[in-house]
Amino acid sequence: MAVVEEKVTTWLGRSVKRKEDDRFLQGRGNYIEDIKLPGMLYMAILRSPYAHARILSIDTAAAMQVPGVVAVVTGADLVAHKLAWMPTLSGDTQAVLATDKVRMQGQEVACVIAEDVYTAHDALGLIDVDYEPLPVVTNPQQALAEGAPVIRDDKEGKTDNRIYHWEAGDQGATERAFAQADRVVSIGMHYPRCHPSPLECCGCVADVNPASGKVTIYMTSQAPHAHRTVFALVTGLPEQNIQIISPDLGGGFGNKVPIYPGYVVATAASLLIGRPVKWIEDRTGNLISTGFARDFYMDGELALRQDGKMLGLRVNMLSDQGYAYADAQPSKFKAGLFHVVTGSYDIPAAHVVTDGAYTNKAPGGVAYRCSFRVTEASFFIERLVQKAAYELGLDPAELRRLNFIQPEQFPYTSATGFVYDSGDYERALDLALEKVGYRELRQEQAKLRQEGKGKLLGIGLASFTEVVGAGPGRQFDILGIRMFDSAELRVHPTGKAILKLGVKSQGQGHETTFAQIVSNELGIPPQDVMVQEGDTDNTPYGLGTYASRSTPTGGAATAVVARELREKAKRIAAHLLEAAAEDLEWELGRFFVRGTPDRGVTIQDVAFAAYTNLPEGMQAGLEGVHYYDPPNMTYPFGSYVVVVDIDAGTGQWKVRRVVAVDDCGVRINPMIVEGQIMGGLTEGLGMAAMELITFDEEGNCIGSNFMDYLLPTSMETPHFDLFETVTPSPHHPIGCKGVGESATVGSPAAYVNAVIDALAPYEITNIDMPVTSDKVWEALRSKGVGA
Amino acid sequence: MYPAKFEYFPPRTLEEALSLLAKYGDEGKVLAGGQSLIPLMKLRFAAPRALIDLNRIEGLDQLVEEDGGLRIGALVRTKACERSQLLRDRYRALADAAPQISDPIVRNRGTVVGSLAHADPQGDWGSVMLAVGARVEARGSGGTRTIPIEQFFQGPFASALEPDEIVTSVVVPDPGPRASGTYLKLERKVGDFATVGVAVHLSLDNGRVRRAGIGLTAVAPTNVRATKAEEALAGAELNDASIRNAAELAAQAAEPRSDLRGSADYKRHIVQVFTERGLRTAAEAAGAA
């Protein structure tokens, strides 16, 4: 039967089914827990029950007596190998296993290595640690107060808990803007500590071959190459002997960017014992000890003219960093990407002050789909703009419209020094308002308010601008390593290709999306392009996947290397067609002689010739590698509208409608993009409504399992109506901007704004996340509303 | 999450199960749905030496009406209650509670009787059974005995059961022709324990309340009855005033504690709101004027 195939002219904008899903849906994925090596041992971690305590002694004798226990490792053992401490991503230090003190609940104190996983856990209970509890610091205000206990007394000369004080923007210009203002609107809030909570926790299998010295570490890593370098620097092992393999990952969301003590101890144990060692983190370990997100206190004010024009912005932030400073912080932008705090608005002057403090909590800060504090910045400005609208008596949509950066202003240099690449904010907002039926909703709201029967309707907007795609290497680095990324493309003789990348999918669909980029440049269909990531021996160096950077960097590298191969292919085609290369035209997948379209060769013909029939003097093969250092960040944006109904009797709020307009530039695979957006809108709801890692006054973590740390399920998740505008990035080879984090960044403010919008007539101006029903009810009660 | 070592027994008869329980006493735990016990074991909060699995014993999965009421056997899953037309027609408080218990996965395995035996003050079934005035039937080495539900809950996770006893069923009395009830639950998300739950049961006679039952979840060391509210309603007409009065009395019966789910004031307020809403719903369904 003849199959008539549709002639493909582009592979962009096509919802190709995810190539990786066949193996995931059939249970044929290969996760850390699936990896079993001959002779493998199992490691379990003993964690501190105290948030702050001196370790007086550790007795491991009884644990060592348990049949099947091979070793018990403590901090003292690691000191001998100079491995008791390790660097964080921001160059601070973090304990691998505690030596002097424990500084957070859940800190790693000892590890048992045993023949099976049950025995390892049984023996944990027999390790006898004598602690002397110390006063606990559970928030940054307390940490910076006079006389607070010094958490990092391991650091010579450290006499307080301050980590940094940085300023950004122009203080003088901002002061002048405020002096000219008719109105100053202020807001204060806490963006609480939450957790990325990937379905798969962290883990590794460390396999050191005592004969060859080869160190193979299968590891839940979003950045395998960077991790290899850090391992080499920390251990002093030769880097060519270290192979990091990051297999299929069950989600990351930033949680798998840092290096955790479990990886280091398992590797050290494998080195010393000479057998592979597996460590799989349990859920409690994951929630209480690994990279958390946010925990930012933000106060600020907006200077406005009476007509609504924004003149200046001031923000003060205080960050709770936990016991180690482990933000990944680009060295040129010390406030991180919080610099994007002016958002979608043309605000001429801004000044940002940020302080960080140690507390007796887990380190982290940037995980959970957050491009280095963009989430906090976006939440802050979108909440503040809504408050300003109420105070000026303007509709929140109108105030936004009045102040949007206009399309002709791009490239736009913000008051804090970012250069926005492109945008059309009003178009996205207009589309969102039209789709949600904004005017009708406001009419319904007015009617309900008049009736006053306890039914509260709220409409929340967020017109966010993100900054992703780190980065230009001259400005962005992690521990000094510039944030480029890479792609290596090999086209085999039969015209099938293999693409190797420095980034690493955790579920984002790289195997499909990046294959489509190759397809779009070379005409080789996606099913003929295999994408490989995660194995440092077999992929080019890259900084990994986080901060929505894969398509802006690795995707760009893929497009560029494919174009380079197409240039070579053109010369081979010219040779095959006996024509001059400049007389050839390209249609997707085929070169032909200009004017005689029948005279042509396919990319597959060319690939075969690259190994069999080359022009004189040309090197064989059709392969290349490109390291792409982006000229700028990319700036995805969007407008979200959330509609909520509140039961004034109980304070419960329910999402009636979510309309999301996203502009991430050109969409490669719209289905995958929409999946990312739905995931982010769900996470935004989670943060707005329920997710919280909190602590009691003794520093006990409340939120250490999924009964206390609440994640939205399908039952809580509303339907999402998704729409798009397309404003290509002018500097990205195919106009993409990255989308992984847009909805997580943009949506929390939309949900909270919706609840606050419903409560606005009662002069309730803020409820910190998570906005739980009891907080809504207490707020109403404080204003004498409700029963 | 790896439990400590335990021995596993799947007896085929109740007698066999009872003899195992007699042998292990406090160190034996009875397994039905496992939806509370297994998580506790995985966290090593519970480390029983022996697990006695009732699932292979025949006859414990009866959900039937018989003389004087509804018998719910020890292996009746919450899912069975959720799907039961009998419950929807005659035992409305149970029918309304079932789909609100945890999540579908838990309901597929979790049992009504297991939930009662666990005696969690945040458990939902306890309040429902208090509202409908159920009796617990237990068997031990001393034979069978019936325990009125209000005597069953002794404290948080503590019941009137002896270490050698197994609850074989719970029996709900016949509610009579003009009766209804409901269950209202405030939870932070599906699958969460109740912040507050209120079970309401009403039976009517000539436009007046014959019997009112109100059970409260998560606002006291055990599931509790709002006795004064029940007494105030008994014999009364159902109207705005009597319903509001009962709701206030129910709120007074609550002794909640402030926690992450909300302040004590908030929870007491929810008891009042839910009691009022629940009584209105039940009154309407029972055919009160």
Side-chain angles (χ1 to χ4, degrees), chain A residues 63-221:
Chain A
M64 279 303 297
Q65 295 306 309
V66 176
V69 169
V70 175
V72 181
V73 185
T74 65
D77 301 320
L78 295 182
V79 169
H81 299 274
K82 296 198 169 67
L83 281 176
W85 292 83
M86 63 179 185
T88 68
L89 291 177
S90 31
D92 195 4
T93 52
Q94 176 180 351
V96 177
L97 292 178
T99 49
D100 53 338
K101 293 199 300 191
V102 289
R103 292 173 170 85
M104 66 175 216
Q105 189 185 48
Q107 188 176 334
E108 299 80 358
V109 173
C111 291
V112 174
I113 291 132
E115 296 287 347
D116 73 90
V117 70
Y118 286 88
T119 302
H121 282 85
D122 289 347
L124 288 183
L126 297 173
I127 300 173
D128 189 11
V129 185
D130 193 4
Y131 295 101
E132 177 196 338
L134 297 168
V136 171
V137 178
T138 57
N139 63 61
Q141 293 84 357
Q142 191 192 347
L144 296 181
E146 198 73 30
V150 178
I151 295 166
R152 294 305 300 266
D153 53 354
D154 56 296
K155 296 179 172 216
E156 222 176 291
K158 189 75 185 152
T159 56
D160 62 12
N161 295 313
R162 182 178 296 282
I163 304 173
Y164 58 74
H165 170 92
W166 291 321
E167 300 191 17
D170 186 333
Q171 186 173 10
T174 307
E175 275 169 9
R176 287 191 292 280
F178 274 82
Q180 290 164 11
D182 298 321
R183 299 290 289 261
V184 172
V185 177
S186 61
I187 199 166
M189 64 183 73
H190 178 216
Y191 200 135
R193 182 172 280 235
C194 47
H195 198 279
S197 310
L199 194 56
E200 178 201 36
C201 298
C202 299
C204 69
V205 179
D207 181 19
V208 182
N209 184 322
S212 67
K214 174 92 178 185
V215 179
T216 306
I217 310 169
Y218 303 85
M219 180 170 144
T220 47
S221 170

Side-chain angles (χ1 to χ4, degrees), chain A residues 700-765:
Chain A
N700 295 306
C701 177
I702 299 160
S704 62
N705 57 58
F706 283 160
M707 289 196 294
D708 293 325
Y709 189 75
L710 306 180
L711 294 173
T713 68
S714 61
M715 307 294 282
E716 287 75 34
T717 306
H719 174 77
F720 302 120
D721 289 315
L722 307 185
F723 302 94
E724 65 172 324
T725 60
V726 178
T727 310
S729 171
H731 64 76
H732 186 275
I734 51 175
C736 300
K737 289 192 168 187
V739 74
E741 299 165 329
S742 287
T744 318
V745 168
S747 69
Y751 293 107
V752 177
N753 280 346
V755 175
I756 299 298
D757 184 67
L759 306 178
Y762 311 110
E763 292 176 347
I764 294 163
T765 57

Side-chain angles (χ1 to χ4, degrees), chain A residues 33 117-118 121-122 282-284 647 649-650 652 690 692 694 702 707-708 710-713 715-716 773-774 777-778 781 787, chain B residues 1-5 43-44 104 107 185-193 259-263 265-266 269-270 273-274 277:
Chain A
E33 183 63 299
V117 70
Y118 286 88
H121 282 85
D122 289 347
D282 62 22
R283 182 60 63 186
T284 295
D647 177 344
T650 63
Q652 288 171 291
M690 62 184 80
L692 178 67
T694 188
I702 299 160
M707 289 196 294
D708 293 325
L710 306 180
L711 294 173
T713 68
M715 307 294 282
E716 287 75 34
S773 58
D774 60 305
W777 180 78
E778 302 280 2
R781 187 172 69 150
Chain B
M1 303 287 170
Y2 297 92
K5 283 197 176 69
L43 293 165
R44 298 199 180 203
R107 296 200 290 274
K185 180 178 183 178
L186 181 76
E187 55 185 9
R188 299 174 299 177
K189 61 169 275 196
V190 167
D192 187 25
F193 286 104
D259 59 20
L260 279 181
R261 288 181 167 82
S263 66
D265 279 356
Y266 176 63
H269 167 79
I270 297 295
V273 170
F274 278 5
R277 290 180 184 178

Side-chain angles (χ1 to χ4, degrees), chain A residues 19 486-492 496-503 509-519 521-522 524 526 528-534 538-540 550 554-563 565 622-626:
Chain A
K19 294 168 59 178
S486 60
E488 182 187 326
L489 180 59
R490 300 180 187 172
V491 183
H492 299 321
K496 319 285 180 184
I498 183 162
L499 175 71
K500 296 160 178 265
L501 298 169
V503 293
H510 287 188
E511 288 171 46
T512 310
T513 298
F514 292 116
Q516 278 180 255
I517 297 176
V518 172
S519 303
E521 298 297 336
L522 291 179
I524 299 170
D528 289 351
V529 183
M530 174 190 273
V531 177
Q532 277 197 345
E533 297 179 338
N538 291 306
T539 53
S550 298
T558 301
V560 173
V561 72
R563 283 173 193 179
L565 295 200
L622 192 57
E623 53 182 78
V625 59
H626 186 85

Side-chain angles (χ1 to χ4, degrees), chain A residues 370-440:
Chain A
C370 176
S371 309
F372 309 97
R373 306 296 187 185
V374 178
T375 311
E376 290 92 330
S378 180
F379 184 76
F380 177 81
I381 187 68
E382 290 303 311
R383 290 278 302 111
L384 179 56
V385 166
Q386 172 169 289
K387 185 154 186 269
Y390 297 148
E391 292 196 12
L392 290 172
L394 290 171
D395 186 288
E398 206 44 48
L399 181 62
R400 285 179 169 85
R401 220 190 297 273
L402 269 171
N403 290 283
F404 278 149
I405 301 161
Q406 295 301 308
E408 62 275 12
Q409 288 178 274
F410 293 93
Y412 171 86
T413 304
S414 78
T416 52
F418 278 175
V419 182
Y420 292 22
D421 59 347
S422 63
D424 191 346
Y425 302 146
E426 196 163 347
R427 187 158 65 117
L429 177 62
D430 286 347
L431 182 60
L433 297 181
E434 179 207 320
K435 293 294 182 186
V436 82
Y438 188 65
R439 192 176 309 166
E440 294 76 13

